[in-house]
Amino acid sequence: MSKTLTIKYEGKTYLLEFNRKTALRVENAGFDVSQIGTKPLTMIPIIVSGAFLMHNPFIKQNEIDTVFKSLENKNEFVLKLVEMYQDAGNTLLEQPDEETGKNSAWTTDW
Amino acid sequence: MSGLIDLEELVNGGTSDRTSNSRQTYTFKDLFYSQAPYYLSIGMTANEYWNEDVEYVVHYRKAWKIKQDRLNQQLWLQGMYVYDALLDTPIVVSGFAKKGEEKRKYPTEPYALTVEQQKQREADKERAHQMEIKNKLVAFASQFNKKMRDKEGKS
Protein backbone atom coordinates (compact mmCIF):
# COMPACT_ATOMS: atom_id res chain seq x y z
CA MET A 1 0.00 0.00 0.00
CA SER A 2 1.22 3.44 -0.81
CA LYS A 3 1.55 6.13 1.85
CA THR A 4 -1.59 8.11 2.56
CA LEU A 5 -2.39 10.98 4.85
CA THR A 6 -5.76 11.65 6.43
CA ILE A 7 -7.03 15.04 7.57
CA LYS A 8 -10.17 15.41 9.67
CA TYR A 9 -11.58 18.90 9.51
CA GLU A 10 -15.04 20.05 10.61
CA GLY A 11 -16.60 16.60 10.32
CA LYS A 12 -15.11 15.93 6.91
CA THR A 13 -12.32 13.46 6.21
CA TYR A 14 -9.83 14.17 3.46
CA LEU A 15 -7.60 11.38 2.20
CA LEU A 16 -4.39 12.66 0.65
CA GLU A 17 -2.37 10.46 -1.68
CA PHE A 18 -0.39 10.65 -4.89
CA ASN A 19 -0.66 8.45 -7.92
CA ARG A 20 1.58 8.89 -10.95
CA LYS A 21 -0.96 11.03 -12.73
CA THR A 22 -1.30 13.52 -9.88
CA ALA A 23 2.46 13.49 -9.27
CA LEU A 24 2.93 14.36 -12.93
CA ARG A 25 0.35 17.14 -12.66
CA VAL A 26 2.18 18.56 -9.67
CA GLU A 27 5.40 18.51 -11.61
CA ASN A 28 3.76 20.08 -14.66
CA ALA A 29 2.38 22.81 -12.41
CA GLY A 30 5.97 23.75 -11.62
CA PHE A 31 6.74 21.82 -8.49
CA ASP A 32 10.42 21.11 -8.00
CA VAL A 33 11.38 19.31 -4.82
CA SER A 34 14.83 20.90 -4.84
CA GLN A 35 13.28 24.38 -4.65
CA ILE A 36 11.00 23.71 -1.72
CA GLY A 37 13.52 25.33 0.63
CA THR A 38 14.23 28.34 -1.56
CA LYS A 39 10.73 28.97 -2.92
CA PRO A 40 8.41 27.62 -0.23
CA LEU A 41 5.57 30.02 -1.01
CA THR A 42 5.44 28.74 -4.57
CA MET A 43 6.21 25.08 -4.03
CA ILE A 44 4.18 24.27 -0.91
CA PRO A 45 0.78 25.30 -2.31
CA ILE A 46 1.40 23.21 -5.42
CA ILE A 47 2.20 20.04 -3.54
CA VAL A 48 -0.61 20.57 -1.02
CA SER A 49 -3.18 21.06 -3.77
CA GLY A 50 -1.77 18.14 -5.72
CA ALA A 51 -2.07 15.81 -2.75
CA PHE A 52 -5.83 16.44 -2.63
CA LEU A 53 -6.37 15.68 -6.31
CA MET A 54 -6.39 11.87 -6.26
CA HIS A 55 -9.28 11.42 -3.83
CA ASN A 56 -10.90 14.86 -3.99
CA PRO A 57 -10.74 15.82 -7.67
CA PHE A 58 -13.48 18.45 -7.48
CA ILE A 59 -12.34 20.22 -4.34
CA LYS A 60 -12.10 24.04 -4.55
CA GLN A 61 -8.86 25.86 -3.94
CA ASN A 62 -10.31 27.94 -1.10
CA GLU A 63 -11.39 24.75 0.70
CA ILE A 64 -7.84 23.41 0.42
CA ASP A 65 -6.53 26.73 1.74
CA THR A 66 -8.90 26.64 4.70
CA VAL A 67 -7.99 23.07 5.59
CA PHE A 68 -4.28 23.79 5.23
CA LYS A 69 -4.53 26.89 7.43
CA SER A 70 -6.17 24.82 10.16
CA LEU A 71 -3.34 22.28 10.28
CA GLU A 72 -0.84 22.15 13.08
CA ASN A 73 2.83 21.34 12.49
CA LYS A 74 2.76 22.38 8.84
CA ASN A 75 6.47 21.72 8.25
CA GLU A 76 6.10 18.07 9.18
CA PHE A 77 2.94 17.88 7.09
CA VAL A 78 4.71 19.23 4.00
CA LEU A 79 7.64 16.86 4.51
CA LYS A 80 5.20 13.95 4.59
CA LEU A 81 3.59 15.17 1.38
CA VAL A 82 7.00 15.39 -0.29
CA GLU A 83 7.73 11.84 0.85
CA MET A 84 4.43 10.64 -0.60
CA TYR A 85 5.12 12.53 -3.83
CA GLN A 86 8.60 11.06 -4.18
CA ASP A 87 7.25 7.54 -3.68
CA ALA A 88 5.49 7.87 -7.03
CA GLY A 89 8.94 7.81 -8.62
CA ASN A 90 10.90 5.85 -6.06
CA THR A 91 8.69 2.79 -6.40
CA LEU A 92 9.80 2.57 -10.03
CA LEU A 93 13.40 2.22 -8.95
CA GLU A 94 14.19 -1.31 -7.90
CA GLN A 95 15.19 -1.60 -4.27
CA PRO A 96 18.06 -3.91 -3.31
CA ASP A 97 15.89 -5.87 -0.84
CA GLU A 98 13.78 -7.18 -3.70
CA GLU A 99 16.77 -9.22 -4.84
CA THR A 100 18.65 -10.16 -1.71
CA GLY A 101 16.25 -9.43 1.12
CA LYS A 102 18.91 -7.26 2.73
CA ASN A 103 19.48 -3.53 2.50
CA SER A 104 22.47 -1.58 3.68
CA ALA A 105 21.80 0.33 6.88
CA TRP A 106 22.23 4.10 7.08
CA THR A 107 21.85 6.63 9.86
CA THR A 108 21.64 10.39 10.32
CA ASP A 109 23.09 12.52 13.08
CA TRP A 110 20.38 15.16 13.37
CA MET B 1 -1.89 30.24 -0.21
CA SER B 2 -4.56 31.46 -2.57
CA GLY B 3 -3.47 32.96 -5.84
CA LEU B 4 -0.19 31.13 -5.93
CA ILE B 5 -1.36 28.11 -7.83
CA ASP B 6 -3.60 27.54 -10.77
CA LEU B 7 -5.72 24.64 -9.56
CA GLU B 8 -7.38 24.39 -12.96
CA GLU B 9 -4.03 23.59 -14.44
CA LEU B 10 -3.51 20.88 -11.87
CA VAL B 11 -6.97 19.39 -12.36
CA ASN B 12 -6.75 19.45 -16.14
CA GLY B 13 -3.38 17.84 -16.24
CA GLY B 14 -1.35 20.96 -16.84
CA THR B 15 0.05 21.77 -20.21
CA SER B 16 3.09 23.77 -19.23
CA ASP B 17 6.23 21.75 -18.83
CA ARG B 18 8.22 24.34 -16.95
CA THR B 19 10.43 21.96 -15.05
CA SER B 20 11.81 20.06 -17.99
CA ASN B 21 12.02 23.18 -20.17
CA SER B 22 13.90 25.32 -17.70
CA ARG B 23 16.57 22.80 -16.83
CA GLN B 24 17.99 19.66 -18.33
CA THR B 25 17.07 17.37 -15.46
CA TYR B 26 15.58 13.95 -15.29
CA THR B 27 12.03 14.65 -14.26
CA PHE B 28 9.22 12.43 -13.04
CA LYS B 29 7.66 12.91 -16.44
CA ASP B 30 10.70 11.34 -18.12
CA LEU B 31 10.80 8.55 -15.57
CA PHE B 32 7.08 7.77 -15.72
CA TYR B 33 6.90 7.75 -19.50
CA SER B 34 10.14 5.79 -19.94
CA GLN B 35 9.05 3.09 -17.47
CA ALA B 36 5.42 2.80 -18.58
CA PRO B 37 6.03 0.44 -21.57
CA TYR B 38 7.91 -2.00 -19.36
CA TYR B 39 5.10 -2.22 -16.81
CA LEU B 40 2.47 -2.51 -19.54
CA SER B 41 4.51 -5.36 -21.02
CA ILE B 42 4.44 -7.31 -17.76
CA GLY B 43 0.68 -7.15 -17.45
CA MET B 44 -0.04 -3.91 -15.63
CA THR B 45 -2.88 -1.88 -17.06
CA ALA B 46 -2.43 1.78 -17.94
CA ASN B 47 -5.05 2.65 -15.35
CA GLU B 48 -3.17 0.79 -12.62
CA TYR B 49 0.09 2.43 -13.65
CA TRP B 50 -1.17 6.00 -13.78
CA ASN B 51 -4.16 6.16 -11.43
CA GLU B 52 -3.85 3.46 -8.81
CA ASP B 53 -1.61 2.81 -5.83
CA VAL B 54 2.01 3.70 -6.66
CA GLU B 55 3.19 0.54 -4.86
CA TYR B 56 1.53 -1.75 -7.43
CA VAL B 57 4.63 -1.57 -9.62
CA VAL B 58 6.66 -3.27 -6.88
CA HIS B 59 4.15 -6.15 -6.74
CA TYR B 60 4.15 -6.45 -10.51
CA ARG B 61 7.95 -6.56 -10.58
CA LYS B 62 8.02 -9.31 -7.94
CA ALA B 63 5.24 -11.25 -9.69
CA TRP B 64 7.13 -10.98 -12.96
CA LYS B 65 10.24 -12.46 -11.35
CA ILE B 66 8.20 -15.36 -9.98
CA LYS B 67 6.69 -15.92 -13.41
CA GLN B 68 10.13 -15.87 -15.00
CA ASP B 69 11.45 -18.38 -12.44
CA ARG B 70 8.48 -20.66 -13.09
CA LEU B 71 8.95 -20.42 -16.85
CA ASN B 72 12.63 -21.10 -16.43
CA GLN B 73 11.82 -24.17 -14.33
CA GLN B 74 9.35 -25.42 -16.95
CA LEU B 75 11.81 -24.90 -19.78
CA TRP B 76 14.52 -26.67 -17.82
CA LEU B 77 12.15 -29.56 -17.17
CA GLN B 78 11.15 -29.74 -20.82
CA GLY B 79 14.80 -29.77 -21.78
CA MET B 80 15.36 -32.56 -19.29
CA TYR B 81 12.62 -34.68 -20.85
CA VAL B 82 13.99 -34.06 -24.33
CA TYR B 83 17.49 -34.88 -23.14
CA ASP B 84 16.26 -38.09 -21.52
CA ALA B 85 14.30 -39.03 -24.62
CA LEU B 86 17.36 -38.45 -26.80
CA LEU B 87 19.51 -40.54 -24.52
CA ASP B 88 16.97 -43.35 -24.66
CA THR B 89 16.46 -43.25 -28.41
CA PRO B 90 19.19 -45.74 -29.49
CA ILE B 91 18.00 -48.20 -26.88
CA VAL B 92 14.31 -47.80 -27.69
CA VAL B 93 14.97 -48.23 -31.38
CA SER B 94 17.00 -51.24 -30.29
CA GLY B 95 18.81 -51.42 -33.61
CA PHE B 96 21.61 -49.55 -31.91
CA ALA B 97 21.25 -51.28 -28.59
CA LYS B 98 23.99 -53.48 -27.32
CA LYS B 99 23.22 -57.12 -26.87
CA GLY B 100 21.29 -57.78 -23.70
CA GLU B 101 20.76 -54.14 -23.03
CA GLU B 102 17.43 -53.44 -21.45
CA LYS B 103 15.06 -51.02 -23.15
CA ARG B 104 14.44 -47.94 -21.13
CA LYS B 105 10.91 -46.67 -21.26
CA TYR B 106 9.88 -43.03 -21.34
CA PRO B 107 8.80 -41.98 -17.82
CA THR B 108 5.12 -42.71 -17.17
CA GLU B 109 4.79 -39.59 -15.03
CA PRO B 110 6.58 -36.27 -14.62
CA TYR B 111 9.61 -36.06 -12.38
CA ALA B 112 8.96 -35.26 -8.76
CA LEU B 113 10.23 -31.74 -8.36
CA THR B 114 9.61 -31.14 -4.69
CA VAL B 115 10.39 -33.07 -1.52
CA GLU B 116 6.64 -33.48 -0.91
CA GLN B 117 6.13 -34.97 -4.35
CA GLN B 118 9.11 -37.25 -3.80
CA LYS B 119 7.70 -38.46 -0.46
CA GLN B 120 4.26 -38.98 -2.01
CA ARG B 121 5.78 -41.02 -4.83
CA GLU B 122 7.72 -43.17 -2.37
CA ALA B 123 4.60 -43.69 -0.25
CA ASP B 124 2.60 -44.68 -3.36
CA LYS B 125 5.37 -47.03 -4.42
CA GLU B 126 5.47 -48.63 -0.96
CA ARG B 127 1.68 -49.00 -0.94
CA ALA B 128 1.74 -50.64 -4.38
CA HIS B 129 4.51 -53.00 -3.22
CA GLN B 130 2.50 -54.00 -0.14
CA MET B 131 -0.60 -54.58 -2.26
CA GLU B 132 1.45 -56.80 -4.56
CA ILE B 133 2.66 -58.89 -1.58
CA LYS B 134 -0.87 -59.07 -0.21
CA ASN B 135 -2.23 -60.21 -3.57
CA LYS B 136 0.48 -62.85 -3.84
CA LEU B 137 -0.33 -64.11 -0.33
CA VAL B 138 -4.04 -64.23 -1.09
CA ALA B 139 -3.35 -66.11 -4.32
CA PHE B 140 -1.02 -68.52 -2.54
CA ALA B 141 -3.55 -69.08 0.28
CA SER B 142 -6.41 -69.80 -2.09
CA GLN B 143 -4.25 -72.15 -4.13
CA PHE B 144 -3.08 -73.88 -0.97
CA ASN B 145 -6.65 -74.23 0.30
CA LYS B 146 -7.74 -75.62 -3.04
CA LYS B 147 -4.96 -78.19 -2.94
CA MET B 148 -5.88 -79.14 0.62
CA ARG B 149 -9.54 -79.52 -0.30
CA ASP B 150 -8.61 -81.67 -3.32
CA LYS B 151 -6.43 -83.84 -1.06
CA GLU B 152 -9.21 -84.25 1.50
CA GLY B 153 -11.69 -85.10 -1.26
CA LYS B 154 -9.44 -87.85 -2.62
CA SER B 155 -8.79 -89.42 0.78
Side-chain angles (χ1 to χ4, degrees):
Chain A
M1 287 293 289
S2 63
K3 294 182 179 107
T4 58
L5 199 151
T6 309
I7 301 172
K8 285 182 180 169
Y9 176 72
E10 288 188 344
K12 279 179 86 173
T13 303
Y14 299 92
L15 183 63
L16 275 60
E17 189 181 355
F18 282 101
N19 57 25
R20 280 187 193 87
K21 204 174 204 173
T22 54
L24 194 59
R25 285 179 184 182
V26 164
E27 189 176 81
N28 285 344
F31 181 74
D32 184 346
V33 75
S34 66
Q35 293 184 341
I36 202 157
T38 52
K39 297 178 182 173
L41 292 178
T42 310
M43 296 303 155
I44 292 171
I46 299 175
I47 196 163
V48 172
S49 303
F52 278 87
L53 276 180
M54 185 174 168
H55 295 287
N56 311 275
F58 304 111
I59 193 169
K60 300 279 182 231
Q61 183 64 50
N62 57 4
E63 191 177 344
I64 296 173
D65 293 347
T66 314
V67 173
F68 183 70
K69 273 176 193 164
S70 74
L71 294 176
E72 57 183 20
N73 201 357
K74 290 188 177 58
N75 279 347
E76 189 68 21
F77 173 76
V78 171
L79 286 176
K80 292 291 175 198
L81 291 188
V82 170
E83 203 176 311
M84 283 159 56
Y85 166 77
Q86 285 183 318
D87 267 3
N90 288 344
T91 48
L92 290 172
L93 310 171
E94 198 159 353
Q95 301 298 312
D97 68 336
E98 285 179 31
E99 276 296 324
T100 61
K102 282 182 183 173
N103 277 353
S104 304
W106 61 275
T107 54
T108 57
D109 60 354
W110 76 85
Chain B
M1 252 182 83
S2 56
L4 289 173
I5 180 171
D6 184 359
L7 189 67
E8 283 302 308
E9 188 179 6
L10 271 177
V11 173
N12 297 325
T15 48
S16 64
D17 192 7
R18 281 174 248 164
T19 315
S20 54
N21 282 346
S22 59
R23 283 194 285 153
Q24 290 297 312
T25 51
Y26 199 60
T27 61
F28 266 4
K29 186 182 178 181
D30 301 327
L31 180 66
F32 292 169
Y33 280 106
S34 67
Q35 293 291 307
Y38 170 72
Y39 287 99
L40 296 183
S41 78
I42 62 172
M44 199 171 190
T45 65
N47 186 51
E48 282 172 331
Y49 183 79
W50 288 107
N51 301 322
E52 299 287 335
D53 193 325
V54 293
E55 290 279 335
Y56 281 0
V57 289
V58 179
H59 305 315
Y60 269 94
R61 268 204 309 268
K62 285 181 180 172
W64 178 246
K65 276 182 186 159
I66 293 168
K67 276 183 195 169
Q68 287 299 97
D69 284 348
R70 194 181 298 138
L71 179 66
N72 189 31
Q73 175 74 21
Q74 284 170 352
L75 290 173
W76 176 82
L77 190 62
Q78 190 178 22
M80 190 90 146
Y81 284 124
V82 171
Y83 181 75
D84 251 11
L86 284 172
L87 279 183
D88 288 348
T89 304
I91 303 167
V92 172
V93 176
S94 79
F96 300 101
K98 288 174 189 165
K99 224 174 186 180
E101 197 169 0
E102 201 178 312
K103 284 184 184 179
R104 271 180 64 189
K105 287 179 182 169
Y106 191 76
T108 52
E109 55 186 349
Y111 301 135
L113 295 178
T114 62
V115 178
E116 286 79 26
Q117 283 178 346
Q118 189 72 41
K119 281 180 182 169
Q120 185 63 42
R121 295 268 171 92
E122 279 167 14
D124 289 346
K125 211 172 170 183
E126 183 62 30
R127 205 174 301 123
H129 183 61
Q130 283 172 359
M131 279 298 285
E132 197 180 36
I133 293 171
K134 188 185 162 192
N135 288 341
K136 275 182 184 172
L137 276 172
V138 168
F140 173 77
S142 64
Q143 211 170 7
F144 181 80
N145 288 344
K146 195 186 169 198
K147 273 183 187 172
M148 287 300 283
R149 272 196 294 272
D150 289 348
K151 222 175 188 179
E152 280 170 12
K154 279 180 186 171
S155 58

